[in-house]
Amino acid sequence: MSWQIWWLFVCGVFVICAMPGPNMLHVMSRSQKFGYRRSMAAMAGCLSAILLALTASVAGLAALLIASPLIFEVLRYVGVAYLVYLGIAAWRGAGSPLDIPIDGQPPSQSAWQLFRGGFLVSISNPKMLLFAAAFFPQFIDRTQPQAPQFAILVATFCVLELFWYGVYALGGRTLAGYLSRPAWQRGFDRATGVVFVGFGLALLKFRPG
């Protein structure tokens, strides 16, 4: 895997991880409720589930690559279509304020309870498996060993995901306040939509090998 391919992956994942999905909102709510330090247990739970899901997914992708390179190539185009779909969906849904679940929680939770809560929130999101199946094949060079490439992609994704956990946890109520305003949310959604569509279309011309 070349540095150019890896940097393209980093740019795409950086934007994807920034989106306020279930994991990010869960980490934000734990930070607001229990403080930044204790929310680290929730971050660890979310990240553990992501690592488990991605590892299982890329194992299947690696097997598919060995069994049928043609199917793997088809999967690349399905991934491009999925990215374009995400962009259109984000644009069409622009302006809907975020619903940040911070009420109705117990006053105190142990580190294990916070970890378990984060793990369950993350592992119950089937979009992670779909993401891995649609996104990762775009950056795999079939002329080189696949296992190291998948390992690099998974590790990179986890590092960027963890970075955004910290941003959302530290941002806390300030970030939540901005994203709860329809005008800010509309701008965020439309910018996200443009990035996803543009990235998907750019990948049509991109071939790692």
Side-chain angles (χ1 to χ4, degrees):
M1 179 186 298
S2 69
W3 282 105
Q4 179 184 3
I5 294 173
W6 182 76
W7 272 113
L8 184 60
F9 178 81
V10 168
C11 292
V13 171
F14 186 82
V15 175
I16 291 171
C17 291
M19 295 180 64
N23 286 9
M24 297 302 170
L25 297 184
H26 180 75
V27 168
M28 180 188 291
S29 69
R30 299 303 82 192
S31 178
Q32 291 174 324
K33 190 73 176 179
F34 302 108
Y36 180 80
R37 286 190 177 182
R38 299 199 62 200
S39 71
M40 289 182 181
M43 297 181 201
C46 290
L47 196 64
S48 297
I50 286 177
L51 183 59
L52 178 64
L54 289 181
T55 300
S57 183
V58 299
L61 288 174
L64 179 61
L65 177 58
I66 295 174
S68 177
L70 177 61
I71 295 179
F72 194 82
E73 183 68 13
V74 171
L75 189 59
R76 286 190 68 249
Y77 287 97
V78 172
V80 169
Y82 176 62
L83 291 174
V84 173
Y85 164 77
L86 288 179
I88 295 174
W91 181 279
R92 295 182 63 181
S96 301
L98 284 177
D99 180 17
I100 301 173
I102 61 175
D103 297 323
Q105 301 296 335
S108 180
Q109 290 189 8
S110 67
W112 165 247
Q113 288 175 314
L114 291 171
F115 176 91
R116 183 181 61 186
F119 184 90
L120 292 176
V121 167
S122 186
I123 203 67
S124 63
N125 183 9
K127 291 182 179 180
M128 178 52 58
L129 294 177
L130 181 58
F131 165 81
F135 199 68
F136 278 31
Q138 318 296 330
F139 304 92
I140 297 299
D141 187 345
R142 295 194 301 273
T143 65
Q144 300 180 19
Q146 285 81 53
Q149 295 182 74
F150 277 122
I152 292 172
L153 295 181
V154 170
T156 300
F157 183 93
C158 289
V159 169
L160 293 174
E161 179 82 356
L162 186 60
F163 166 80
W164 280 111
Y165 286 167
V167 170
Y168 273 78
L170 288 173
R173 297 188 183 277
T174 300
L175 184 59
Y178 282 122
L179 293 179
S180 65
R181 301 173 186 175
W184 283 85
Q185 184 63 38
R186 184 182 302 111
F188 184 89
D189 287 340
R190 288 182 174 175
T192 300
V194 169
V195 170
F196 268 89
V197 172
F199 199 74
L201 295 177
L203 286 175
L204 285 174
K205 299 181 179 180
F206 172 75
R207 300 181 66 84

